[in-house]
């Protein structure tokens, strides 16, 4: 053991990677440039005079924090070890029941579990669109009140979900929450950083974002943005005191582990990519156009149908593909045939072994690349005798 | 606002960086080589079939986990968002009182606070050596019993502390803990990865390690290693179930946020550096020799005295430097003069503005570099009229 060196080659290298979680995290050239200079450990802590790196002027983390708050239309921002950690931090300010949409990412449930919050789900409309209707929040709020005697302490809405890429009506949900006086966490892991999101405009109380999923940063980096109203509560500072030494750490924020552990490459790459990110969100409309075009092309293939809302308002999409599944049943490689056929055509990121559904994300692909991906699926379909419309 | 581009130049670039937290985190050539290939977001999740990246074969995370467990002489390993997160995970398995050495890093206290554990400190011997005597753990265990009616739930020892670089007698503390049946967490943030540490040999129940502080990895990456006895408890899986959807996530580990967020560069660089790390720990003796030589040289300067245990058993050290402090009082740059004088000599990492104490780490410097650093201090001392022995 320990003798054979480990292969560290990236499986997707050189290919078009349509993996749903990868598209928005691909580094910008600007971020790639800082990798070598800032790669070492806690490189940002070189000059830390404040005991909290988010207060630094050199590199300008403090200023960057303010810029991100402005960009997201919120008052206060912290950087976290991923959106999952940001959700954990936001929820740490509450006790009791949490209402979440039923398309929420599993890390939402885990963050609730870790905070001892009881989870109540907002149903979706089911097959084939799986929509979250804003009004359903009202029903669940009332249900929680009936069951527990209290309205929920906090609610969460997944802005665009990981499964169908449905874009929820955040503004409407925020209005309902505001009527009830229930704070709303908006999980924008798949939206902010690729499309414009403003907390002020939406009316939510927290924005959770994912740097490595949608802001072209290296993992892990999440963002938690909130209003002055909630900042003190969720970014609460330490109150422990050493019983012998008398030591205290009154500047350190407890749910962030004192000082968030992201002060090396994750934050530097987020900063380096930020100017590009601010620009790219303005081009979201064209990204959605590409996605809609792609859906049209895919649905020309026999037995392929988009799941989730129609038309698409996001670049992450999920097709049901029973026709590919039938091919898989007879193929010697079973469900893996599709993965291999795509790989041969330079396309990566579709779950290996899965042919009942195809989930992918075309964000940031050029028109030419989107065409190449569509072409590959059609070619494979034809190769195995499926009808493909002209 | 948002107009002026942010400067992202590393302040320590091109200099010898003696910052205590930086020496063990400097990337190996092997780690630098993987930066570009694996820089994008959650790059390791390209092919995740298991829903937990620590179970992957490609890249070989599962195998690496086993190799790290073997290297640390433990049974089970998980990767975390820094040692602070690893401590949080370890402590999440306990309720009640935690006994810690009074030299513990602040993140130890924060992790306890976040888990609702009450902290009791083991005193140190105070000025000038600040030693933690193993036997003091007995006293504190008895004191906790007396005060609360129960022995503490868990104890923690900081293997080498961040303040003086004292190396504690982990084996002796582990023996005492074993006698009491109190599990011991050994925080090796400043030891494993630069010196040999074996949980089996020491007899501790948990090892916490820091990849970015001592294993030549990019931040954030921590390691939590434990025995079969405690693995299930601290790596407990999710039990939440969606009340409408019935969704459950029974493979996801709660205190790790489901699947630890480190599956991009932090873990890949840890893996890339590992073969070098396994070798370099064998050269620890020479690193300590360099440190001892450096102490001798520094103490030739008038008014400079090592704090902490003597002789040094670690490369992190803290000097009291009242003579430099007197210079600072008259200098137009005040306490910052030392920082600037060192910087002019290509040496970085001493806290700007601080002259009462000088804290630094010579780990991994060549003999020539250690000499350069000592020479710089002596030169500065002489420049300002301090006596320096030949």
């Amino acid at each position: 053991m320990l003798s054979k060196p480990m292969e560290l080659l990236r499986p997707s290298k050189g290919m078009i990677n349509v993996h749903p979680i990868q598209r928005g995290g691909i580094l910008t050239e600007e971020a790639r440039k800082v990798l070598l200079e800032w790669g070492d450990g806690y490189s940002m802590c070189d000059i830390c005079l404040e005991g909290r790196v988010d207060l630094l002027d050199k590199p300008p983390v403090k200023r960057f924090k303010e810029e991100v708050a402005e960009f997201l239309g919120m008052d206060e921002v912290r950087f976290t070890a991923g959106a999952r950690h940001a959700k954990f931090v936001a929820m740490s300010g509450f006790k009791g029941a949490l209402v979440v949409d039923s398309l929420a990412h599993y890390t939402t449930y885990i963050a609730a579990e870790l905070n001892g919050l009881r989870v109540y789900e907002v149903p979706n409309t089911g097959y084939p669109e799986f929509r979250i209707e804003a009004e359903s929040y009202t029903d669940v709020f009332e249900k929680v009140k009936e069951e527990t005697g209290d309205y929920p302490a906090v609610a969460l809405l997944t802005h665009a979900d990981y499964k169908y890429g449905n874009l929820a009506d955040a503004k409407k949900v925020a209005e309902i929450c505001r009527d009830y006086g229930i704070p709303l966490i908006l999980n924008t892991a798949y939206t902010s950083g690729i499309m414009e999101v403003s907390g002020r405009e939406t009316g939510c109380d927290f924005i959770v974002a994912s740097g490595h999923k949608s802001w072209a940063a290296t993992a892990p980096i999440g963002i938690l943005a909130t209003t002055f109203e909630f900042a003190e509560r969720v970014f609460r500072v330490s109150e422990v005191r050493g019983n012998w030494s008398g030591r205290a750490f009154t500047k350190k924020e407890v749910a962030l582990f004192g000082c968030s552990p992201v002060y090396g490459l994750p934050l530097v790459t987020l900063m380096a990519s930020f100017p590009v990110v601010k620009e790219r969100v303005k081009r979201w409309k064209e990204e959605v156009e590409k996605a809609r075009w792609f859906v049209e092309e895919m649905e020309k293939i026999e037995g392929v149908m988009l799941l989730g809302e129609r038309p698409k308002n996001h670049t992450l999409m999920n097709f049901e593909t029973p026709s590919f599944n039938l091919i898989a049943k007879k193929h010697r490689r079973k469900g893996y045939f599709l993965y291999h056929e795509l790989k041969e055509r330079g396309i990566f990121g579709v779950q290996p072994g899965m042919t009942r559904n195809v989930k992918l994300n075309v964000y940031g692909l050029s028109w030419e690349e989107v065409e190449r991906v569509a072409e590959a699926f059609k070619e494979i379909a034809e190769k195995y005798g499926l009808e493909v419309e002209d």
Side-chain angles (χ1 to χ4, degrees), chain A residues 55-75:
Chain A
L55 304 174
L56 286 195
D57 291 320
K58 204 174 176 177
V61 182
K62 196 175 161 191
R63 180 182 147 204
F64 177 62
K65 213 169 61 168
E66 289 160 12
E67 295 198 4
V68 171
E70 184 178 308
F71 178 63
L72 291 175
M74 300 293 269
D75 303 320

Side-chain angles (χ1 to χ4, degrees), chain A residues 119-172:
Chain A
V119 177
Y120 289 85
E121 293 178 311
V122 175
N124 62 61
T125 60
Y127 183 90
E129 292 213 58
F130 305 94
R131 277 179 197 272
I132 299 290
E133 312 272 22
E135 298 75 17
S136 308
Y137 272 78
T138 311
D139 304 340
V140 179
F141 289 169
E142 292 299 340
K143 189 186 150 191
V144 171
K145 168 76 176 167
E146 209 174 294
E147 269 191 28
T148 70
D150 287 309
Y151 282 113
V154 58
L156 183 143
L157 173 66
T158 311
H159 198 196
D161 73 275
Y162 74 103
K163 208 168 176 186
Y164 306 106
N166 285 353
L167 190 70
D169 190 338
K171 208 167 174 173
K172 221 176 201 170

Side-chain angles (χ1 to χ4, degrees), chain A residues 185-207:
Chain A
I185 303 168
L186 186 64
N187 179 11
T188 71
Y190 284 106
T191 55
S192 69
I194 56 174
M195 63 178 273
E196 281 175 319
V197 174
S198 163
R200 215 156 282 142
E201 218 172 275
T202 308
C204 60
D205 303 280
F206 298 92
I207 287 182

